């Protein structure tokens, strides 16, 4: 079944997607102090990518992704686990937050909770894309 | 000094397993180099252990300890004593040889990398068992060996037989593992610690504690399943589905000894129980004799060896059960001896299989001329197995007879041991002599010698058995004495010699040999009859019981799945709502919660608008006759709730709600075409009932909200987070700080659940219908291109 694609939507998605991705990273980074965080950042990023996938095609989205969604899930879990284990190596209890003394420019204070939040971010993107892309590909054939 | 050596050993193993195990998966390019390179890791461990031997022999022990989860009593306590060290030497030494052998045996196998990885992981876990000083840590390594064993038995997972055998081994040893954990927990309840040194120090109090027998039986169940004692022995012969190097390493030389090792390790703790000797000797003798005669009915080389392994494990348990110093010396010597000759024989069986294409004993014969090195290895190992001087097997057998002759029932025990030993001699003659030099059974075989990788490792093991026999004072003083001393808790003098003079033990050895060789000559009549006998008995055997149990479990599972899983979403929703309403309602009524309304602010204009939208949409949804309208109405409810969140200053929640609503719309767009025609299925009375159920659900939620809002005055939790969020966690957004820091463990768990759910959804989408199968075929085709 071939559907006619909306040129308006496709063009808009091309420009919206990167903007929304940047916004999602912004949400992720500022999440510790302001409204945002890895979870909502991940949801926004996933919506951005899915918008692109629907407006163009699931295959186009796949080509765009550097990693398969399920690898993204694994990567996220790995990041969260690493952030939890790092303090153990430093002789502190599991999941203790460790922070760098000096804040980095733009990003601000950097510590293991940020890595953990990045893990959440990637898991959310991975899970949503994994499920939705599989559905979309089912649909496309 | 010794402590530093132990630390280095742990670092080597941890580093090795972190780098070498994944590296093994990438070996495609360097297949020839992979085996020798990867064998360096066990070799390094072996050398380090060897370097620690002089200090341990002098009576030193070392302990290294890192706290892991102190609240649970779990710490990474590693102990190095004689018992663990010699066990470690066997594990690492044989491990290095098996990796070399495996490279040759599985040469060109597409999954060779996976084989190396699993073998290295197993070896590390097994060394972990040998070195653990904390019972929980030991349990973790114990389970890791069960899992790697499962994966290795099922290595050729495309064969149903291999999968079934792997599953069986996992269920039996895993079940035993749970019993073991329960036993450890009881001991921890008694002693207040999971450290095994603490247990040993409190042995006297433990022995008289009323919970001690329960702990003993549970731990024995764990050890008996792992070490294939009757009636759990059946998994081990079935585990021969694994590639031969795995059988040699896991299922004869090391992993199956873990149970025996554990009993030896806990001898200082539980050896004082009055139950110890009767339980272990009975169990050991039953296994020893039963398996010995089960072995004689086998024709497949590997199954034959597997049953003699079970028999040997029975012997070890029996000797540990006797618990006297001579018995413990015999047990440790026999453990080392058995690992050497059985490892060699299994590897030989693999080489024979490789060189001739069969492992059926009746078809083999006279292949020694074509495979001289393999024949030499097999012959030497068989001599040790039969217990001929000057091999180490002879020393072990003499010690065993010396032990049985000094027990309370010398005649009975010696006679029973002699019978089992004679059966072992029979097997040794069959494998060591008849297969290689006997009358050829099948002339169509074309035996040929393999590469050095196939005969080098078994030959080395067999020669080691010879060396240990030729220098009895060395093997006694350097290996057996430290091991026995570690079990007994004080130093012992071990004097081994090939010649003691004309003793009763020598007479018994000679009698064993004569009986064994006599029976071995009768193979053609003996083997089929015994096989028929055991076949007739099989319906009453424990293996059949296991099958019935598994079958029953599966039927139960399918019955209850049919009962609970209707497959209709509306039924699930109904069950969830009704369960929640009845349970929560019951709790509210039983606790007689007073329902007093908290002071409330007068609603604002927006509240009326939003609640109005939500109520209208909710009512319209139930009357809607189009799917798109339904989705739109549900969406408007969701967005109104998000706005409510915003108005009541919960911007984080609102944002998530918005994002979720957006994604839900995308999801609906994707599945809209797939869904069946939108129609009304339920009759009017059902709808009326549904209306009331929904009403109770809504009422309950309202009630709960009112109850929760009564407690806002109790703000200590919120105050705590508000006070500590910035100070302790460097963040001003309390919601996010709770998610990633204060309650990070919950989030980690939720992420894992999310990932698992995604796997489930993916499987349903991809593997579900016919379309899914077609899709898979297409993607496979694309990949092939």
């Amino acid at each position: 079944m071939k559907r006619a694609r909306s040129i308006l939507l496709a063009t808009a998605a091309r420009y919206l997607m990167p903007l929304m991705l940047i916004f999602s990273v912004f949400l992720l980074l500022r999440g510790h102090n302001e409204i945002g965080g890895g979870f909502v950042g991940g949801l926004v990023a996933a919506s951005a990518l899915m918008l692109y996938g629907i407006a163009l095609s699931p295959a186009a989205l796949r080509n765009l992704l550097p990693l398969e969604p399920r690898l993204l899930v694994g990567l996220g879990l790995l990041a969260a686990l690493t952030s939890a284990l790092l303090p153990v190596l430093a002789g502190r209890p599991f999941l203790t937050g460790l922070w760098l003394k000096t804040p980095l420019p733009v990003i601000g204070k950097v510590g293991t909770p940020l890595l953990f939040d990045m893990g959440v971010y990637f898991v959310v993107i991975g899970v949503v894309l994994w499920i939705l892309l599989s559905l979309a590909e089912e649909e496309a054939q | 000094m010794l402590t530093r050596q132990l630390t280095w050993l742990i670092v080597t193993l941890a580093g090795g397993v972190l780098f070498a195990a994944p590296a093994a998966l990438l070996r495609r390019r360097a297949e020839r180099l992979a085996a020798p390179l990867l064998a360096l890791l066990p070799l390094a461990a072996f050398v380090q252990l060897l370097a620690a031997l002089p200090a341990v022999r002098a009576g030193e022990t070392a302990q290294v300890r890192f706290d892991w989860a102190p609240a649970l009593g779990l710490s990474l306590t590693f102990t190095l004593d004689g018992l663990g060290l010699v066990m470690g030497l066997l594990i690492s030494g044989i491990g290095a040889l098996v990796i070399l052998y495996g490279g040759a045996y599985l040469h060109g196998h597409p999954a060779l990398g996976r084989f190396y990885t699993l073998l290295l992981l197993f070896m590390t876990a097994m060394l972990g068992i040998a070195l653990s000083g904390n019972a929980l840590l030991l349990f973790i390594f114990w389970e890791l060996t069960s899992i790697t064993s499962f994966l290795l038995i099922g290595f050729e997972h495309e064969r149903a037989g291999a999968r079934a055998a792997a599953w069986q081994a996992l269920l039996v040893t895993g079940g035993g593992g749970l019993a073991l954990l329960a036993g450890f927990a009881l001991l921890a309840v008694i002693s207040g610690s999971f450290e095994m040194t603490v247990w040993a120090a409190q042995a006297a109090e433990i022995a008289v504690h009323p919970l001690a027998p329960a702990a003993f039986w549970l731990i024995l169940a764990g050890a008996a399943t792992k070490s294939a004692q009757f009636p759990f022995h059946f998994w081990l012969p079935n585990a021969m589905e694994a590639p031969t190097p795995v059988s040699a390493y896991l299922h004869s030389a090391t992993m199956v000894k873990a149970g025996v090792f554990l009993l030896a390790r806990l001898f200082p703790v539980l050896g004082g129980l009055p139950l110890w000797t009767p339980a272990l000797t009975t169990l050991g003798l039953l296994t020893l004799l039963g398996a010995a005669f089960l072995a004689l009915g086998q024709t497949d080389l590997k199954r034959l060896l597997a049953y003699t392994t079970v028999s040997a494990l029975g012997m070890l348990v029996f000797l540990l059960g006797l618990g006297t110093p001579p018995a413990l010396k015999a047990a440790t010597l026999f453990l080392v001896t058995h690992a050497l000759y059985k490892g060699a024989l299994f590897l030989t069986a693999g080489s024979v299989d490789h060189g001739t294409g069969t492992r059926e004993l009746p078809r083999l014969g006279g292949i020694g001329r074509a495979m001289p090195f393999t024949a030499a290895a097999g012959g030497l190992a068989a001599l040790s197995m039969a217990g001929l001087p000057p091999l180490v097997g002879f020393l072990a057998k003499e010690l065993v007879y010396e032990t049985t002759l000094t027990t309370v029932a010398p005649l009975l025990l010696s006679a029973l041991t002699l019978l089992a030993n004679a059966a072992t001699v029979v097997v040794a003659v069959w494998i060591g002599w008849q297969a290689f030099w006997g009358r050829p059974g099948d002339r169509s075989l074309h035996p040929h010698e393999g590469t050095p990788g196939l005969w080098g490792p078994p030959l080395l093991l067999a020669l080691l058995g010879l060396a240990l026999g030729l220098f009895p004072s060395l093997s006694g003083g350097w290996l057996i004495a430290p091991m026995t001393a570690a079990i007994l808790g004080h130093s012992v003098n071990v004097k081994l010699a090939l010649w003691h003079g004309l003793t009763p033990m020598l007479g018994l050895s000679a009698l064993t040999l004569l009986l064994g060789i006599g029976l071995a000559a009768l193979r053609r009549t003996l083997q089929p009859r015994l096989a028929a006998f055991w076949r007739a008995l099989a319906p009453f055997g424990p293996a059949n019981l296991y099958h019935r149990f598994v079958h029953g479990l599966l039927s139960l599972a399918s019955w209850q799945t049919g009962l609970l899983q209707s497959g209709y979403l509306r039924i699930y929703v109904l069950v969830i709502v009704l369960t929640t309403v009845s349970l929560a309602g019951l709790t509210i009524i039983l606790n007689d919660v007073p329902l007093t309304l908290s002071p409330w602010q007068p609603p604002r204009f927006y509240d009326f608008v939003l609640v109005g939208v939500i109520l209208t949409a909710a009512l319209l949804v139930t009357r809607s006759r189009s799917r798109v309208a339904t989705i739109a109405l549900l969406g408007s409810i969701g967005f109104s709730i998000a706005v409510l969140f915003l108005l009541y200053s919960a911007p984080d929640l609102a944002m998530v709600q918005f994002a979720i609503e957006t994604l839900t719309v995308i999801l609906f767009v994707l599945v809209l075409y797939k869904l069946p025609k939108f129609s009304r299925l339920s009759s009017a009375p059902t709808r009326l009932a549904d209306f009331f159920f929904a009403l109770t659900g809504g009422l309950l939620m309202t009630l709960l909200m009112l109850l929760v809002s009564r407690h806002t005055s109790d703000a200590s939790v919120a105050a705590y987070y508000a006070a500590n969020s910035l100070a302790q966690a460097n963040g001003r957004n309390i919601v996010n700080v709770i998610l990633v820091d204060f309650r990070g463990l919950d989030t980690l768990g939720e992420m894992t659940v999310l990932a698992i759910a995604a796997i489930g959804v993916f499987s349903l989408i991809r593997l579900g219908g016919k379309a899914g199968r077609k899709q898979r075929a297409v993607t496979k085709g694309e990949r092939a291109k």
Side-chain angles (χ1 to χ4, degrees), chain B residues 208-219:
Chain B
V208 295
H209 198 280
L211 282 177
F216 167 75
W217 286 117
L218 287 167
I219 289 173

Side-chain angles (χ1 to χ4, degrees), chain A residues 1 3 23 27-28 30-40 43-44 46-47 50-51 54 62 68 70 73 76-77 80-81 84 88 94-97 99 109 113-114 116-117 119-121 123-124 126-128 130-139 141, chain B residues 67-68 651-652 655-657 659-660 662-663 666-667 669-674 725-726 728-734 736-737 739-741 743-748 750-762 765-766 769 771-775 778 783:
Chain A
M1 180 175 53
R3 273 174 302 160
F23 179 60
L27 281 177
L28 164 71
R30 69 179 223 144
H32 216 57
N33 286 318
E34 308 291 334
I35 299 156
F39 186 65
V40 79
L43 286 176
V44 169
S47 327
M50 267 328 284
L51 175 70
I54 287 180
R62 265 220 195 270
E68 283 207 37
R70 61 195 160 95
V73 176
L77 284 177
L81 200 65
V88 177
F94 189 73
L95 266 171
T96 314
W99 295 89
K109 281 208 137 191
L114 184 65
F116 189 90
D117 223 5
V120 177
Y121 179 78
V123 168
V124 170
V127 167
V128 172
W130 194 5
I131 294 175
L132 291 186
L133 255 182
S134 313
L135 278 173
E137 278 162 2
E138 275 283 280
E139 174 85 1
Q141 57 145 346
Chain B
D67 275 337
W68 182 355
D652 281 280
M655 209 154 157
V656 171
Q657 181 78 27
I660 292 283
T662 314
L663 278 169
I666 295 181
L667 186 70
V669 169
L670 288 175
V671 297
L672 200 57
Y673 287 106
K674 300 242 134 196
S725 177
L726 189 58
Q728 291 197 8
N730 279 316
R732 282 192 303 273
N733 179 355
I734 298 177
N736 201 51
V737 169
L739 280 178
V740 300
D741 202 326
R743 311 221 43 107
L745 194 60
D746 292 356
T747 312
L748 196 61
E750 281 153 18
M751 286 162 76
T752 317
V753 170
L754 200 60
I756 293 169
I759 294 173
V761 173
F762 176 72
I765 296 172
R766 271 297 159 93
R773 252 169 257 136
K774 219 188 319 174
Q775 170 77 17
V778 171
R783 264 187 219 138

Side-chain angles (χ1 to χ4, degrees), chain B residues 408-577:
Chain B
V408 280
L411 267 181
L412 177 70
L413 290 183
S414 302
L416 291 177
T417 322
L418 189 140
L419 267 180
N421 277 341
T424 313
V425 173
V426 174
V427 175
V429 173
W430 286 353
I431 294 182
W433 177 260
Q434 289 192 351
F436 291 108
W437 309 109
R439 231 174 326 134
D442 184 347
R443 294 193 182 277
S444 64
L445 298 178
H446 298 287
H448 59 272
E449 189 71 281
T451 51
L454 281 171
W455 53 259
L459 194 58
L460 203 60
L461 282 177
L463 284 173
L464 212 57
L466 179 63
L468 287 184
L470 281 176
F471 303 102
S473 55
L474 272 183
S475 36
W478 287 84
L479 298 176
I480 307 312
M483 270 181 109
T484 318
I487 301 175
L488 277 173
H490 56 80
S491 64
V492 283
N493 208 357
V494 178
K495 279 209 177 0
L496 299 178
L498 283 168
W499 179 248
H500 293 282
L502 287 172
T503 54
M505 287 81 87
L506 193 65
L508 285 174
S509 277
L511 197 62
T512 313
L513 277 178
L514 281 179
L515 189 62
I517 294 171
L519 282 174
L522 299 173
R523 178 171 68 82
R524 273 167 231 280
T525 49
L526 188 66
Q527 207 167 38
R529 295 226 175 120
L530 265 174
F533 172 69
W534 289 118
R535 250 201 313 280
L537 218 55
F540 311 102
N544 194 37
L545 212 63
Y546 164 85
H547 286 299
R548 274 204 213 157
F549 170 72
V550 169
H551 185 76
L553 204 63
L554 288 178
S555 326
L556 181 72
S558 81
W559 172 77
Q560 71 99 16
T561 309
L563 193 72
L564 296 177
Q565 310 288 339
S566 61
Y568 292 108
L569 195 57
R570 54 179 183 274
I571 308 268
Y572 291 132
V573 173
L574 194 68
V575 169
I576 291 171
V577 168

Side-chain angles (χ1 to χ4, degrees), chain B residues 341 345 377-388 424-425 427-429 431-433:
Chain B
Y341 77 67
L345 279 177
L380 260 180
L383 285 179
S384 186
M385 181 173 175
L388 250 75
T424 313
V425 173
V427 175
V429 173
I431 294 182
W433 177 260

Side-chain angles (χ1 to χ4, degrees), chain A residues 40-110:
Chain A
V40 79
L43 286 176
V44 169
S47 327
L49 291 166
M50 267 328 284
L51 175 70
Y52 186 85
I54 287 180
L56 281 90
S57 75
L61 177 56
R62 265 220 195 270
N63 287 337
L64 195 75
L65 289 176
L67 278 179
E68 283 207 37
R70 61 195 160 95
L71 292 183
L72 225 51
V73 176
L75 192 73
L77 284 177
L78 196 69
L81 200 65
T82 312
S83 84
L85 284 176
L86 276 178
V88 177
L89 292 183
R92 310 280 298 276
F94 189 73
L95 266 171
T96 314
L98 296 181
W99 295 89
L100 285 185
K101 289 274 180 295
T102 46
L104 296 187
V106 186
I107 298 176
K109 281 208 137 191
V110 175

